[in-house]
Amino acid sequence: MSNDTSYQPPRVWQWEGESGGQFASINRPIAGATHERELPIGKHPLQLYSLGTPNGVKVTILLEELLAQGHGGAEYDAWLIRIGDGDQFGSGFVDINPNSKIPALVDHSVVEHRGEAPLRVFESGSILLYLAEKFGAFLPSDIRARTEVMNWLFWQMGSAPFVGGGFGHFYAYAPEKQEYPINRYAMETKRQLDVLDRQLANHEFIAGSEYSIADMAIFPWYGGLVINNQYDAAEFLSVHEYTNVQRWAEQLAARPGVRRGRMVNRTFGEPSEQLLERHDASDFETRTQDKLTETI
């Protein structure tokens, strides 16, 4: 009799239902809608459907930074998509993003100006690039500077899944702790933090001397690790070692646009920092959860 207790994959994998973990009830091996649900549409041309996770925060930071620069056309409605409840599998959301992931954006301004159907934009990196190009902001026009921003934007898109779906899942969300995957993804997460630390040793911002969509993409993930104790893993990852990342993250966290962007569609933390939906700039003063609780 063998004493080998390691997992032996079958010749053909089959889905046997929920596999455990915090998000087990919404994970499945097929795409498409599970229920009919139309999405609400607000008063602004830009309609965002999202949640205050790192990927969602990227976009709300950019929108708030655009508004801070005076781009009035960047006014937007932000609707809450509760992924734990499966809102992302509603038919209306799937029509915008067939991959059923937040954030998703619809630009209705093309209807007004071109007589076309509203334009859908999904994947956070694509949304950042679309908005930066639409408003001519936070993306340099010089070919070298622009390419460097794009280098780091795509670095983030390829790297963060190792942090979230890898380290974060096995360290914080998996139903049981397993040494191999935690070690594997902790090593990769620290390597990525070291990549950033070396880059920021000689640059004020990620792509050079100018604040850009690369910073906005990277901050919610890696800034979250070094200053917000994301996954409750700051001590485990020894984030104090990455002094340049800490300097950069604290600098960004102090920006008003970043502070506001982090509040939008947020469902956790201090009630005063949770703005479940955003439809007007005044909502930050009147519609946070602490204010709404006071009026009940």
Side-chain angles (χ1 to χ4, degrees), residues 61 65 200 204-206 211-212 214-220 223 227 245-259 262:
I61 286 176
E65 292 281 19
L200 289 164
E204 182 178 5
F205 298 106
I206 291 294
Y211 179 50
S212 73
D215 298 282
M216 299 176 202
I218 293 170
F219 170 79
I227 64 173
V245 180
Q246 293 227 345
R247 182 271 306 164
W248 163 84
E250 290 168 358
Q251 181 179 351
L252 263 62
R255 295 180 65 94
V258 172
R259 291 202 302 268
R262 291 182 60 210

Side-chain angles (χ1 to χ4, degrees), residues 53-193:
T53 66
N55 283 334
V57 166
K58 297 176 194 176
V59 177
T60 49
I61 286 176
L62 174 54
L63 287 165
E64 291 299 329
E65 292 281 19
L66 287 167
L67 290 169
Q69 274 199 350
H71 296 280
E75 274 291 353
Y76 67 104
D77 292 278
W79 302 93
L80 180 63
I81 299 296
R82 294 184 183 272
I83 61 175
D85 295 341
D87 290 352
Q88 69 275 32
F89 299 117
S91 58
F93 191 89
V94 174
D95 285 344
I96 300 173
N97 184 357
N99 195 40
S100 293
K101 303 290 183 182
I102 62 95
L105 177 77
V106 178
D107 187 350
H108 292 261
S109 67
V110 295
V111 177
E112 301 173 8
H113 299 301
R114 304 180 190 173
E116 301 174 356
L119 178 66
R120 73 177 188 182
V121 195
F122 62 89
E123 288 296 323
S124 58
S126 179
I127 297 173
L128 292 180
L129 181 58
Y130 174 77
L131 291 173
E133 291 184 332
K134 179 181 177 74
F135 293 101
F138 302 112
L139 182 62
S141 56
D142 172 76
I143 186 63
R144 288 184 178 273
R146 177 187 172 90
T147 300
E148 188 68 2
V149 169
M150 299 302 290
N151 289 341
W152 287 103
L153 176 62
F154 282 96
W155 176 87
Q156 187 279 320
M157 298 298 292
S159 297
F162 290 97
V163 177
F167 175 75
H169 174 77
F170 287 104
Y171 185 79
Y173 302 133
E176 59 185 34
K177 306 296 184 187
Q178 298 179 30
E179 181 179 5
Y180 175 78
I182 290 175
N183 284 345
R184 169 68 180 87
Y185 288 112
M187 177 177 64
E188 176 60 14
T189 298
K190 287 181 68 66
R191 188 193 70 82
Q192 292 177 16
L193 285 167

